[in-house]
Amino acid sequence: TPLLLSKVVDALDEIYRLMNESQAVDVRGDTYEYLLSKIAQSGLNGQFRTPRHIIKMMVELMDPKADEIICDPACGTAGFLVSSAQYLRAHYEDSMTPEQWQHFAGPMFTGFDTDRTMLRISAMNLMLHSITNPEIDYKDSVSKQNSICSKYTICLANPPFKGTVDAESINDDLKAVTNTKKTELLFLALFLRMLKTGGRCACIVPDGVLFGSSKAHQSIRKELIENHQLRAVISMPSGVFKPYAGVSTAVLVFTKTGAGGTDKVWFYDMKADGFSLDDKRTEVKENDIPDIISRFHNLN
């Protein structure tokens, strides 16, 4: 109601008044993220919210620097982009140049989605985290109507699973990598096309990408392993996405090389993520994530 909204605005205004500007930015963003976390529903197109601690883990695996160009081509509420911004501020705030801050305010962060409501949410989310001019666009990332630019240094994403795309509308560049209508395979091909040579990706995929026996599944695995550098496969328990879905997933970490480089692939079987693996997802002591991050950054 208008009265309730007025009370909320007044209450937040009082909080901001007691803080300096940098604290107020954090609280504004945190408040918005908290409200998003309470929207316990999946989107119209079957998208569901990626848990923030999983996003944070993936960002820490990528270890973004101040000059990166970061993209999420299925951005939803922009969780990956916001978390990347928070990581950069936490690690480089005191050492960034004015030019890097200008880059941070807009060109660094790009997100695409096909749900206009999600785009409005993600633009608001980024602006509340001091990214004043992000590139957030309505785009069907795998469609032939869109040109694909190889300009990004990091891709972070939880692309749609279990979907299919009309074969005639699929971008020919992606068909050349894997001839399929499955969204989870098309997005992997997309990441490879979007990244600059040397660019890195951390993305969530369903287990079928790892074990599927179809020609399309085999061709995308062959592309990753033989033509690029697959660095890590982190298997996650099936309860990670509850209460939305009980799918078994994994995080793939790879670098675009165009010339191979997959010598060793690091596998990790995550058993616990700090929360119970039922619909309630209450906090628990068991948590493999700190161990995953530590080990990944100390691989031989």
Side-chain angles (χ1 to χ4, degrees):
T1 64
L3 178 61
L4 182 60
L5 180 60
S6 176
K7 284 183 176 179
V8 170
V9 171
D10 288 344
L12 289 173
D13 196 45
E14 180 65 17
I15 291 170
Y16 302 151
R17 198 175 58 76
L18 300 170
M19 297 179 169
N20 63 42
E21 179 54 32
S22 65
Q23 287 175 316
V25 166
D26 287 339
V27 171
R28 278 197 288 270
D30 290 347
T31 303
Y32 197 68
E33 284 274 299
Y34 175 78
L35 292 173
L36 291 178
S37 75
K38 296 304 174 186
I39 303 174
Q41 61 179 27
S42 58
L44 292 173
N45 300 320
Q47 68 270 62
F48 42 83
R49 196 170 176 277
T50 313
R52 275 0 190 206
H53 61 289
I54 300 296
I55 288 177
K56 189 167 179 282
M57 175 189 80
M58 292 167 66
V59 169
E60 293 200 24
L61 293 176
M62 287 290 94
D63 185 24
K65 306 293 192 293
D67 298 315
E68 306 282 8
I69 307 168
I70 304 170
C71 184
D72 180 351
C75 67
T77 62
F80 283 105
L81 301 178
V82 165
S83 187
S84 299
Q86 291 171 326
Y87 182 92
L88 285 157
R89 284 176 61 200
H91 289 79
Y92 302 107
E93 188 160 27
D94 296 334
S95 60
M96 283 169 66
T97 65
E99 292 76 19
Q100 287 173 329
W101 278 117
Q102 198 171 356
H103 177 60
F104 178 93
M108 180 180 275
F109 302 100
T110 299
F112 306 129
D113 209 287
T114 56
D115 185 326
R116 293 190 188 278
T117 300
M118 289 291 180
L119 289 171
R120 284 196 295 273
I121 290 172
S122 58
M124 183 75 167
N125 202 8
L126 287 162
M127 288 174 187
L128 286 170
H129 286 87
S130 70
I131 300 150
T132 51
N133 193 28
E135 186 180 332
I136 299 295
D137 288 333
Y138 178 84
K139 187 182 282 190
D140 183 347
S141 296
V142 298
S143 167
K144 64 171 55 174
Q145 295 174 348
N146 300 311
S147 58
I148 300 172
C149 299
S150 302
K151 68 176 189 178
Y152 302 102
T153 61
I154 291 180
C155 277
L156 282 154
N158 178 12
F161 303 165
K162 311 295 184 191
T164 56
V165 183
D166 178 39
E168 292 178 5
S169 71
I170 298 170
N171 193 298
D172 292 333
D173 276 355
L174 305 184
K175 284 184 182 176
V177 179
T178 178
N179 191 9
T180 182
K181 295 188 286 186
K182 290 185 175 294
T183 52
E184 61 265 33
L185 303 182
L186 289 169
F187 269 89
L188 276 175
L190 176 70
F191 301 145
L192 290 170
R193 287 286 192 250
M194 294 177 77
L195 288 168
K196 288 181 175 180
T197 301
R200 298 106 66 211
C201 177
C203 64
I204 297 173
V205 296
D207 274 1
V209 170
L210 306 179
F211 307 115
S213 57
S214 76
K215 192 173 180 181
H217 283 90
Q218 291 176 24
S219 67
I220 194 68
R221 289 197 297 264
K222 184 177 181 183
E223 174 72 16
L224 271 174
I225 291 167
E226 294 186 3
N227 297 333
H228 303 281
Q229 184 188 14
L230 178 61
R231 298 171 64 198
V233 178
I234 300 161
S235 176
M236 297 194 291
S238 58
V240 163
F241 286 104
K242 286 187 174 181
Y244 308 116
V247 291
S248 290
T249 56
V251 174
L252 297 187
V253 180
F254 57 87
T255 300
K256 176 178 178 175
T257 64
T262 304
D263 182 21
K264 298 175 182 176
V265 181
W266 185 63
F267 287 85
Y268 193 108
D269 186 10
M270 184 199 295
K271 296 294 187 186
D273 69 339
F275 295 85
S276 63
L277 298 172
D278 54 19
D279 285 353
K280 291 183 179 177
R281 295 291 276 153
T282 49
E283 281 197 57
V284 296
K285 284 184 180 179
E286 294 77 21
N287 187 357
D288 293 333
I289 291 176
D291 186 51
I292 290 169
I293 295 165
S294 172
R295 286 174 184 265
F296 180 80
H297 289 304
N298 289 286
L299 293 176
N300 293 328

